[in-house]
Amino acid sequence: MSRVTRALILCLYFFAALQFVRYYSKTTVLYLNMPAYLAGQERLPFQERVLPIVFLDPIMHSRWIAAHLFHQNGNFTADRGAFYVLSLLALLVAAGITQKLYGLLSPTRTMSLLVFPVFLFAVMWTYSIHSEANFSYPYDMLSLAFFTAGLYAVYQKRFLLLALVVLLGTFNRETTLFLIGIFVLDAASVEGAGAGTPLRARFRLRDLPWVRLLLLCALWLAVKLPLAHTFAHNDGSENFVRIGYNLNLLRPRLLPALLNICGYTLPVVLLLRRDLRPTRFANYLYILPLWFAVMFWSGVLVETRIYGELCSYSAIALVLIIERHLERHLEVQGEAGARERDAGFPAEAPALRRSA
């Protein structure tokens, strides 16, 4: 592929991301009261996710931006403009890291051009293509970017980068806790284990770097506990256990919404998990029982953004599985061709082979 072709494809991908964020920021319902959120007076647990305020407040209160960029209609309205810009930048960062992580995981990179379309597909369905709980929050795309950066740091075994992601990302949303769980799965993974290796033999807990694990937990608590204390007197009417609420959602008519996990890609990855390589990356799937349990406790199952951070993982995993199936198919075709040549069929006579 020439550099010009690659540049044009990147431009098309950028326009696709831009178009999605335009749709997302305009059609979803901002569940927060933005003035109250910026003032630190919004309901719990939403107010504890304070990092977007660092970006939103200057944009919303800038006289220059208000005079030159905000409009009465469209995406750049006073209440949506900052959310639109922040979501777009975070999505682009997440997409770039997703592409980079795929490059580390794939031995051939033959499906490189497919990574972003699958990623965008998963994000579109997760955050905007639904009829139930069509809500959005200013920290959603940032959460996706932080979690993707955390996956990259874990797989690359770059602990300082992971610690920084956990520290900053927890100010945005507490789902960075799952990155600590993935760090444990990665560190305990047995080198050389394959898809057929029994579960007990895939992990070795004695290999865990306990000091680093405790440090990550300490960083998470060092952010989470002060935030909980700071906003302890905010309205807690939305901060309750949702087990009973979610049990009422387990009905057939809501099944399409309940299965919309990363745009239905994650269920496919789970069904084909034995074909996912490298095994160390596949082991990250064992975080899902904890994820689902936590979301069943505190989230709303039809609000599919609660799985949003997994879009990058799911997209990469699905592309790697497709890549492996394609390579296996080509190997079978090559072996069949070799057998035909050994049997005396000339390579230049496909019609003869078909008739045989």
Side-chain angles (χ1 to χ4, degrees), residues 172-188:
N172 184 71
R173 196 175 178 213
E174 58 277 1
T175 46
T176 48
L177 182 65
F178 297 123
L179 284 174
I180 301 177
I182 291 175
F183 170 78
V184 170
L185 292 170
D186 182 86

Side-chain angles (χ1 to χ4, degrees), residues 261 265-274 285 288 292 321:
I261 304 174
T265 61
L266 192 56
V268 175
V269 170
L270 286 172
L271 290 171
L272 300 176
R273 62 189 181 277
R274 286 183 172 270
L285 286 170
L288 294 182
F292 293 148
I321 290 171

Side-chain angles (χ1 to χ4, degrees), residues 55-283:
F55 306 100
L56 295 173
D57 192 60
I59 297 175
M60 295 185 69
H61 291 94
S62 169
R63 293 184 179 181
W64 187 91
I65 291 177
H68 294 86
L69 296 182
F70 286 164
H71 304 287
Q72 294 298 319
N73 299 304
N75 299 98
F76 278 99
T77 56
D79 62 333
R80 292 276 178 160
F83 171 67
Y84 170 79
V85 172
L86 182 61
S87 297
L88 177 61
L89 293 176
L91 178 69
L92 293 176
V93 170
I97 302 173
T98 299
Q99 193 77 42
K100 191 173 182 63
L101 182 55
Y102 163 80
L104 293 173
L105 292 162
S106 171
T108 61
R109 303 180 186 177
T110 53
M111 293 289 179
S112 180
L113 287 178
L114 190 61
V115 175
F116 178 78
V118 175
F119 169 75
L120 187 60
F121 174 90
V123 172
M124 287 168 57
W125 280 88
T126 298
Y127 290 102
S128 64
I129 304 181
H130 36 58
S131 56
E132 292 86 9
N134 192 34
F135 304 129
S136 58
Y137 300 79
Y139 43 77
D140 280 346
M141 291 298 157
L142 276 176
S143 294
L144 176 60
F146 274 115
F147 198 83
T148 308
L151 288 177
Y152 176 83
V154 170
Y155 191 79
Q156 280 284 75
K157 296 189 180 298
R158 296 177 58 177
F159 179 76
L160 292 180
L161 177 59
L162 176 62
L164 182 62
V165 168
V166 170
L167 178 63
L168 295 179
T170 307
F171 281 103
N172 184 71
R173 196 175 178 213
E174 58 277 1
T175 46
T176 48
L177 182 65
F178 297 123
L179 284 174
I180 301 177
I182 291 175
F183 170 78
V184 170
L185 292 170
D186 182 86
S189 294
V190 175
E191 188 175 353
T197 304
L199 180 59
R200 290 183 178 180
R202 293 181 75 154
F203 299 99
R204 193 161 43 229
L205 291 179
R206 66 173 180 269
D207 292 339
L208 282 180
W210 293 102
V211 174
R212 291 188 170 189
L213 174 59
L214 291 174
L215 179 58
L216 290 175
C217 293
L219 288 173
W220 190 86
L221 290 172
V223 175
K224 184 63 180 171
L225 293 180
L227 286 174
H229 176 75
T230 301
F231 302 111
H233 299 293
N234 284 40
D235 181 0
S237 59
E238 296 269 4
N239 200 20
F240 61 93
V241 175
R242 288 181 165 84
I243 294 177
Y245 184 85
N246 284 320
L247 286 174
N248 289 328
L249 297 176
L250 301 179
R251 54 189 67 182
R253 72 176 183 85
L254 291 176
L255 194 59
L258 295 171
L259 290 177
N260 180 17
I261 304 174
C262 301
Y264 305 94
T265 61
L266 192 56
V268 175
V269 170
L270 286 172
L271 290 171
L272 300 176
R273 62 189 181 277
R274 286 183 172 270
D275 295 318
L276 181 56
R277 302 288 188 279
T279 304
R280 181 159 65 94
F281 184 72
N283 285 343

